[in-house]
Amino acid sequence: MLTTYEVRYARQTALPQIGWLGQEKLATASVVIVGCGGLGTVAAELLARAGVGYLYLVDHDIVEVGNLHRQVLFDEHDLGHRKAIAAAKELRAINSEIVVEPVVARLNSSNASTLLAGSDLVLDGTDNDATRYLINEVCVKQDIPWVFAAVDENYGLVMAIVPGQTPCFSCIFGEPLSLPAVPRSNKGLLGTITYMVAAIQVGLAVRLLLGDDEYAGGLLYVDAWDYRMESMPLTRSPGGCGVCGETKTSRRS
Ligand SMILES: [Zn+2]
């Protein structure tokens, strides 16, 4: 007789790219999701359903009614509650076989090294570049792959960063210009673009967790309104940049 575990992942493990060996890798993997907004909630749900064993949700904010048009793990009962805690509760209801830990905090330069340490992967669910530069710096230093994602109005960007192998965030976007960690909450945002970009982000995350980092890489641009997607291949310069230039080895090399 099949176990619940075998039945739950039967369709996923039937994929030759994953199989039961891949499923075991996912079951022992640890992922930190920074931000439980539009991107982070969709990403967290997909990772929980895929059976990623340890999910850490970092967010200090509370659920507001303006979040409900896109933030998939919340409903009206969650209004006024901490996002990380409400999201963790929902994820545990989806999959009780994984560990989900809420971390009610805003990622900053004092806590980032500790909060990201020891994870296999970090997902960017933030809404500001200042936090992305911080994630990049810590992940490069600690040799942790991370997947950048950003959405604005009807378009979004996704890019996987594997220290020592791909260009890092600073290689592509330059050095930070004293950017304040302030979200642009007054701008428009299409609900569908957050789902699309987060789904692509999780697709990259699963490949990296399986140890499959042989994809072409690069920066993907997605437009949910104009029905358009473009991939821009990127190659890491041998010297890297001021942030990743000191990375001499990778645990995947
Ligand atoms: Zn770099």
Side-chain angles (χ1 to χ4, degrees):
M1 191 170 162
L2 295 174
T3 63
T4 310
Y5 180 84
E6 288 168 328
V7 177
R8 181 189 288 268
Y9 303 114
R11 297 294 298 274
Q12 183 163 277
T13 52
L15 290 163
Q17 305 95 308
I18 298 180
W20 287 109
L21 200 62
Q23 193 63 47
E24 286 304 312
K25 286 184 185 172
L26 297 181
T28 56
S30 151
V31 176
V32 180
I33 298 162
V34 183
C36 292
L39 291 168
T41 53
V42 175
E45 178 176 335
L46 288 169
L47 290 173
R49 290 188 188 277
V52 171
Y54 301 85
L55 297 179
Y56 299 89
L57 314 173
V58 182
D59 197 298
H60 74 290
D61 226 341
I62 60 167
V63 181
E64 296 173 5
V65 73
N67 304 140
L68 299 183
H69 99 287
R70 65 194 183 284
Q71 300 187 8
V72 71
L73 294 174
F74 309 131
D75 60 39
E76 292 179 5
H77 297 103
D78 298 316
L79 296 176
H81 294 203
R82 293 284 183 182
K83 286 185 174 182
I85 293 170
K89 187 179 167 199
E90 182 62 26
L91 293 171
R92 288 176 187 139
I94 290 168
N95 192 344
S96 61
E97 296 177 333
I98 61 169
V99 174
V100 184
E101 290 294 337
V103 181
V104 178
R106 183 196 287 271
L107 195 84
N108 58 43
S109 54
S110 307
N111 63 18
S113 293
T114 308
L115 291 179
L116 306 186
S119 60
D120 294 305
L121 189 90
V122 175
L123 285 191
D124 168 22
T126 68
D127 52 10
N128 67 86
D129 286 338
T131 310
R132 293 186 181 109
Y133 278 107
L134 176 62
I135 293 171
N136 185 60
E137 194 184 322
V138 174
C139 283
V140 167
K141 201 174 282 179
Q142 299 191 10
D143 194 19
I144 302 169
W146 71 283
V147 188
F148 153 67
V151 286
D152 196 12
E153 297 181 333
N154 52 288
Y155 66 91
L157 296 168
V158 196
M159 178 173 71
I161 291 141
V162 182
Q165 290 187 33
T166 68
C168 82
F169 189 76
S170 292
C171 287
I172 303 303
F173 296 103
E175 299 298 318
L177 304 167
S178 306
L179 294 162
V182 178
R184 290 169 294 176
S185 55
N186 57 335
K187 289 195 77 180
L189 188 56
L190 198 64
T192 53
I193 190 65
T194 59
Y195 280 58
M196 291 168 73
V197 167
I200 294 165
Q201 185 184 29
V202 168
L204 287 172
V206 167
R207 289 188 69 163
L208 289 168
L209 292 174
L210 294 173
D212 171 12
D213 51 9
E214 296 304 311
Y215 59 92
L219 181 69
L220 190 71
Y221 170 87
V222 185
D223 190 320
W225 196 258
D226 289 339
Y227 196 53
R228 201 156 54 90
M229 203 180 278
E230 280 174 35
S231 173
M232 292 165 254
L234 300 169
T235 311
R236 183 173 186 267
S237 68
C241 71
V243 174
C244 69
E246 297 305 311
T247 303
K248 302 293 183 199
T249 57
S250 165
R251 60 184 171 184
R252 282 164 184 79
S253 61

